[in-house]
């Protein structure tokens, strides 16, 4: 299960209230506890994103709430693209590291001399992203 951040929870509540919804409907469709729903409903009403219609007991999306949802969907699309790009960049970084360091340098947790590798007789230490070499003997 993916945990939602505050903005995602607000967007879920607004989406449910788009056509008008009772609190129980928001709790159920928004996947919220009663306590959390009360907290967030208070927040979004105070922010002017939804309003409560006491005549029929429904929460309704306001114009500001519609603008919020539009901006949220745009943000969500950007974030998803950025996440994909970040994943690709990290895969390329790992590939490059494997090409350079797979047989020549110790793993991040190692701090020892590699016996049969090209740097035999050298001590190789990694500190952060940097490597230092020390001639033994």
């Amino acid at each position: 299960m993916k945990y939602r951040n505050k903005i995602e929870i607000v967007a879920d509540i607004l989406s449910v209230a788009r056509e008008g919804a009772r609190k129980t409907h928001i709790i159920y469709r928004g996947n919220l506890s009663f306590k959390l729903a009360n907290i967030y409903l208070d927040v979004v009403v105070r922010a002017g994103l939804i309003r409560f219609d006491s005549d029929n007991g429904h929460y309704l999306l306001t114009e500001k709430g519609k603008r919020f949802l539009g901006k949220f969907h745009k943000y969500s699309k950007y974030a998803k693209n950025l996440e994909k790009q970040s994943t690709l960049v990290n895969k390329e970084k790992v590939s490059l590291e494997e090409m350079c360091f797979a047989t020549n340098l110790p793993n991040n947790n190692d701090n020892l001399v590699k016996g049969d590798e090209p740097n035999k007789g050298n001590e190789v230490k990694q500190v952060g992203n940097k490597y230092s070499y020390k001639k033994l003997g």
Side-chain angles (χ1 to χ4, degrees):
M1 178 177 181
K2 180 186 177 288
Y3 291 98
R4 299 175 291 176
N5 63 37
K6 293 185 281 190
I7 299 299
E8 291 169 326
I9 293 171
V10 168
D12 287 344
I13 290 170
L14 299 184
S15 294
V16 173
R18 183 178 296 216
E19 302 299 322
R22 293 187 182 276
K23 185 188 288 189
T24 53
H25 194 140
I26 292 171
I27 290 169
Y28 177 73
R29 294 214 32 228
N31 197 26
L32 298 166
S33 68
F34 182 79
K35 181 179 178 182
L36 209 53
N38 282 332
I39 292 168
Y40 276 93
L41 284 171
D42 185 54
V43 167
V44 295
V45 167
R46 287 177 187 247
L49 301 173
I50 62 174
R51 65 179 180 80
F52 182 72
D53 183 352
S54 57
D55 292 340
N56 63 11
H58 285 82
Y59 288 91
L60 302 165
L61 195 61
T62 64
E63 286 301 316
K64 185 177 178 183
K66 290 176 187 175
R67 287 193 312 273
F68 178 96
L69 276 178
K71 291 182 87 152
F72 173 79
H73 291 303
K74 192 174 182 179
Y75 152 80
S76 189
K77 190 186 298 185
Y78 289 151
K80 193 176 288 186
N81 286 335
L82 186 58
E83 190 175 318
K84 284 180 185 177
Q85 291 297 321
S86 177
T87 300
L88 290 173
V89 167
N90 284 332
K91 284 181 180 178
E92 287 299 316
K93 178 184 174 201
V94 167
S95 175
L96 291 167
E97 287 174 342
E98 287 173 352
M99 289 173 72
C100 291
F101 306 121
T103 60
N104 295 347
L105 296 174
N107 294 326
N108 289 344
N109 296 329
D110 292 343
N111 188 13
L112 47 89
V113 175
K114 296 287 189 180
D116 297 328
E117 296 177 0
N119 28 339
K120 183 176 183 179
N122 295 322
E123 181 179 9
V124 183
K125 291 184 180 180
Q126 181 181 5
V127 179
N129 290 335
K130 298 184 179 185
Y131 295 93
S132 64
Y133 303 89
K134 180 177 165 186
K135 188 76 172 168
L136 296 178

